[in-house]
Amino acid sequence: MPTWGLLFLLSAVAQAIQDCPAPCTCQALETMGLRVDCQGQGLMALPALPAPTRHLLLANNSLHTVPPGAFDHLPQLQVLDMTQNPWHCDCGLTYLRLWLEDRMPKSLSSVLCASPEHAAHHPLDQLTGYQLGNCGWQLQASWVHLGVWWDLALAAVAVLGLALLAGLLCISTEPWPETRTQSHPSLEAAHQSLPILPSSNHHKPPK
């Protein structure tokens, strides 16, 4: 790297250290990035993080969620510690899950959910999309426990439908009874009134 490029990076890192969020401490790394330490600061929301952040330590705070796009301006971020936070694992945490799956899949198991009740004490990587919920609609809490019963009901309906279909197929394959065609009385009378033509095979008298 040319000298001017190195000086530019050093000045950028120095400026980023000056812009370090107040509750955190920032330290320049040998890799030209920043180590941003926000551990144990009682944070309830993410602070404004400097762009050169490479190591981000957020453990032992009161973080519940991560807003969408919170890490999009941190292309150098390689180390992320988010343990010991009371994460609320609903649809609001979908961005964090997708970001970790793409960048740091091994860190998913370190994000331990504290709420809601059905997700408590479970790591984020063990939750399904159904358990995280959808921001556009929410199922009632009592419905979450009825998932097995809904599955059984759907299976019963499917079996009943197959039984009805089999019965209809059996009926359609049975032979229909033969029907005797009855002639109309007017047709029989017309047939009897027709003249009887002599047979063409009668014997001619000898000459």
Short mmCIF file of all heavy atoms in Angstrom, two decimals, residues 100-101 103-111 125:
data_model
loop_
_atom_site.label_atom_id
_atom_site.label_comp_id
_atom_site.label_asym_id
_atom_site.label_seq_id
_atom_site.Cartn_x
_atom_site.Cartn_y
_atom_site.Cartn_z
N LEU A 100 -26.77 -12.42 10.67
CA LEU A 100 -25.85 -13.39 11.25
C LEU A 100 -25.75 -14.65 10.39
O LEU A 100 -24.66 -15.22 10.25
CB LEU A 100 -26.31 -13.77 12.67
CG LEU A 100 -26.14 -12.68 13.73
CD1 LEU A 100 -26.75 -13.13 15.06
CD2 LEU A 100 -24.67 -12.34 13.93
N GLU A 101 -26.86 -15.10 9.83
CA GLU A 101 -26.82 -16.27 8.95
C GLU A 101 -25.91 -16.03 7.76
O GLU A 101 -25.24 -16.95 7.29
CB GLU A 101 -28.23 -16.62 8.47
CG GLU A 101 -29.11 -17.28 9.53
CD GLU A 101 -30.48 -17.59 9.00
OE1 GLU A 101 -30.83 -17.08 7.90
OE2 GLU A 101 -31.24 -18.31 9.68
N ARG A 103 -23.35 -13.56 7.60
CA ARG A 103 -22.01 -13.11 7.94
C ARG A 103 -21.33 -13.93 9.03
O ARG A 103 -20.14 -14.23 8.95
CB ARG A 103 -22.05 -11.64 8.38
CG ARG A 103 -22.60 -10.68 7.33
CD ARG A 103 -21.59 -10.40 6.24
NE ARG A 103 -20.41 -9.75 6.79
CZ ARG A 103 -20.31 -8.44 6.96
NH1 ARG A 103 -21.31 -7.64 6.63
NH2 ARG A 103 -19.20 -7.92 7.45
N MET A 104 -22.09 -14.29 10.06
CA MET A 104 -21.50 -15.00 11.21
C MET A 104 -22.47 -16.09 11.70
O MET A 104 -23.08 -15.95 12.76
CB MET A 104 -21.20 -14.03 12.35
CG MET A 104 -20.32 -12.87 11.98
SD MET A 104 -20.13 -11.72 13.37
CE MET A 104 -19.27 -10.38 12.55
N PRO A 105 -22.66 -17.16 10.94
CA PRO A 105 -23.65 -18.17 11.33
C PRO A 105 -23.37 -18.82 12.69
O PRO A 105 -24.30 -19.23 13.38
CB PRO A 105 -23.57 -19.19 10.19
CG PRO A 105 -22.26 -18.93 9.52
CD PRO A 105 -21.97 -17.48 9.69
N LYS A 106 -22.10 -18.91 13.09
CA LYS A 106 -21.78 -19.54 14.38
C LYS A 106 -22.23 -18.68 15.56
O LYS A 106 -22.39 -19.20 16.68
CB LYS A 106 -20.28 -19.81 14.47
CG LYS A 106 -19.78 -20.86 13.48
CD LYS A 106 -18.30 -21.13 13.67
CE LYS A 106 -17.80 -22.19 12.70
NZ LYS A 106 -16.34 -22.45 12.87
N SER A 107 -22.45 -17.40 15.34
CA SER A 107 -22.86 -16.51 16.43
C SER A 107 -24.35 -16.60 16.73
O SER A 107 -24.81 -16.05 17.73
CB SER A 107 -22.50 -15.06 16.08
OG SER A 107 -21.10 -14.91 15.93
N LEU A 108 -25.12 -17.27 15.87
CA LEU A 108 -26.56 -17.38 16.10
C LEU A 108 -26.88 -18.07 17.42
O LEU A 108 -27.81 -17.69 18.12
CB LEU A 108 -27.22 -18.13 14.94
CG LEU A 108 -27.58 -17.31 13.71
CD1 LEU A 108 -27.98 -18.23 12.57
CD2 LEU A 108 -28.69 -16.34 14.01
N SER A 109 -26.10 -19.09 17.75
CA SER A 109 -26.37 -19.84 18.98
C SER A 109 -26.06 -19.05 20.23
O SER A 109 -26.50 -19.42 21.33
CB SER A 109 -25.57 -21.15 18.98
OG SER A 109 -24.17 -20.87 18.89
N SER A 110 -25.33 -17.95 20.12
CA SER A 110 -24.98 -17.15 21.29
C SER A 110 -26.03 -16.10 21.62
O SER A 110 -25.96 -15.45 22.66
CB SER A 110 -23.62 -16.47 21.09
OG SER A 110 -23.67 -15.52 20.04
N VAL A 111 -27.00 -15.90 20.72
CA VAL A 111 -28.10 -14.96 20.96
C VAL A 111 -29.22 -15.73 21.64
O VAL A 111 -29.98 -16.46 21.00
CB VAL A 111 -28.58 -14.31 19.64
CG1 VAL A 111 -29.72 -13.35 19.90
CG2 VAL A 111 -27.42 -13.60 18.95
N ASP A 125 -30.95 -19.49 16.71
CA ASP A 125 -30.87 -20.40 15.57
C ASP A 125 -31.82 -21.58 15.68
O ASP A 125 -31.99 -22.33 14.72
CB ASP A 125 -29.43 -20.91 15.39
CG ASP A 125 -28.95 -21.68 16.61
OD1 ASP A 125 -29.56 -21.55 17.69
OD2 ASP A 125 -27.95 -22.41 16.49
#
